[in-house]
Amino acid sequence: MQAGARVTVVEDDPAVRTVVADHLRAAGCEIEQFGDGATAWQAIERRMPELLILDRMLPGIDGDELCRRVRAISSAPIIMLTALDGLEHRIEGLEHGADDYLGKPFSLRELQLRVNAQLRRSSSAAAPLMFTAGRFRVDPAHRRVWADDREVALTAREYELFLYLVRNPERVVSREEILREVWQWGFGDASTVTVHVRRLREKIEPDPRTPCFLHTEWGAGYRFTINAGAPC
C-alpha cells in the first residue's frame, strides 16, 4: 500500500463504509468517507483524492453520475463497489468511467490488492521520458497523451491500455493478455477489455467505426498500428 495515499470512500451503508475505511486506514491510507453522493462531490471538488471507492447505489447523486462528474475533471482511479454484479452492470459501470468493479460481498484483502494495483499504476515516480509514436506523443511522467496537437483525455485505465498497445505495435494481443498485463488479473471477465477498447477508440480514432490505429483481429485480439495510412 502506498503510504499516505488519499482515498475517498463513498458508501451509503455505514457498516460497510466503516469496515472499508478502517481497513484501508490501517494499511496506511488517508481516508475521507461519505454516505451520499452530493456531500462527496462537494469535498471532491475542493480536493481530488488519489483514488475513489464508490458505491453505485447512492442517495441523491448516484454512483454513476458521481463517476461521470469525477471522470470529466480527473483521471484519478475509481473502483466501483456494489451489489449490482451482473455482467451488464459491470459494463455500465466501466462505461461511466470506472477503472475497476468489485461486487458485494467482497474480501477486504481483494479490495486492498486492487487499491494497491490502481495506486501503483497512477504513480509517476519512476516514469520514463516523453516519447513519440507516429502521430502520438506520450508524457509518462504526467500520464498525458497527444494525438498530433490535440491532447487526449484518458482515464487511468485507458492510459495504461494505450501505453501497453503503443509499446507493442503491430503485434496481436489477446484480451486475456491485456487482462494479465494491464489489469494484473490472472483471470477475469474479458468484456472489461472490450469496453475499454471501445472507449479508447472513441478518443484516439478520427472515426471509431473505421479504426486507423486500434484494429480488431477477430478471434485473436487487437493490433495497434502506429503509422496509419490514408485516409487516416
Side-chain angles (χ1 to χ4, degrees):
M1 182 72 68
Q2 184 176 321
R6 292 182 290 104
V7 177
T8 292
V9 179
V10 190
E11 163 64 61
D12 65 338
D13 185 323
V16 174
R17 184 172 68 247
T18 299
V19 167
V20 170
D22 287 350
H23 182 82
L24 295 179
R25 189 178 290 114
C29 291
E30 176 186 329
I31 302 295
E32 279 194 305
Q33 52 183 308
F34 303 96
D36 66 275
T39 305
W41 176 240
Q42 292 174 1
I44 289 167
E45 282 190 302
R46 292 192 300 270
R47 187 189 187 200
M48 182 64 61
E50 294 174 62
L51 181 142
L52 290 92
I53 297 174
L54 180 61
D55 185 22
R56 193 170 181 191
M57 305 292 287
L58 292 170
I61 299 175
D62 65 20
D64 291 343
E65 175 61 22
L66 186 56
C67 186
R68 285 192 293 266
R69 291 189 186 189
V70 171
R71 191 52 72 230
I73 61 174
S74 173
S75 62
I78 299 173
I79 299 175
M80 276 197 167
L81 190 66
T82 174
L84 298 175
D85 195 32
L87 174 59
E88 69 279 7
H89 294 127
R90 292 199 300 274
I91 290 175
E92 287 173 1
L94 295 169
E95 287 180 329
H96 291 312
D99 297 286
D100 204 349
Y101 198 106
L102 187 59
K104 300 176 182 176
F106 58 92
S107 158
L108 286 173
R109 175 60 176 161
E110 181 180 3
L111 174 61
Q112 181 178 332
L113 290 173
R114 293 192 183 210
V115 168
N116 290 347
Q118 291 294 335
L119 290 173
R120 281 197 305 271
R121 293 189 187 101
S122 63
S123 173
S124 60
L129 298 175
M130 184 180 294
F131 66 93
T132 299
R135 292 165 58 178
F136 298 100
R137 185 160 49 96
V138 184
D139 179 4
H142 300 95
R143 301 173 67 84
R144 299 171 70 184
V145 174
W146 291 264
D148 298 323
D149 293 326
R150 175 182 62 88
E151 184 168 4
V152 184
L154 300 178
T155 68
R157 188 72 81 181
E158 290 164 359
Y159 171 82
E160 294 292 342
L161 174 60
F162 176 82
L163 194 63
Y164 186 74
L165 292 170
V166 83
R167 286 175 169 168
N168 291 273
E170 303 303 339
R171 184 170 74 81
V172 177
V173 293
S174 68
R175 294 192 298 175
E176 291 73 22
E177 177 182 341
I178 292 172
L179 275 177
R180 184 176 65 251
E181 300 298 330
V182 178
W183 270 252
Q184 303 294 309
W185 293 357
F187 60 92
D189 186 351
S191 65
T192 298
V193 176
T194 305
V195 170
H196 281 79
V197 166
R198 182 169 71 245
R199 282 168 34 187
L200 184 58
R201 278 191 178 128
E202 291 171 354
K203 295 182 178 183
I204 68 171
E205 298 284 0
D207 183 355
R209 295 170 298 180
T210 55
C212 295
F213 306 105
L214 183 45
H215 305 277
T216 298
E217 300 290 341
W218 296 107
Y222 303 99
R223 175 175 52 84
F224 191 84
T225 297
I226 290 177
N227 296 308
C232 298

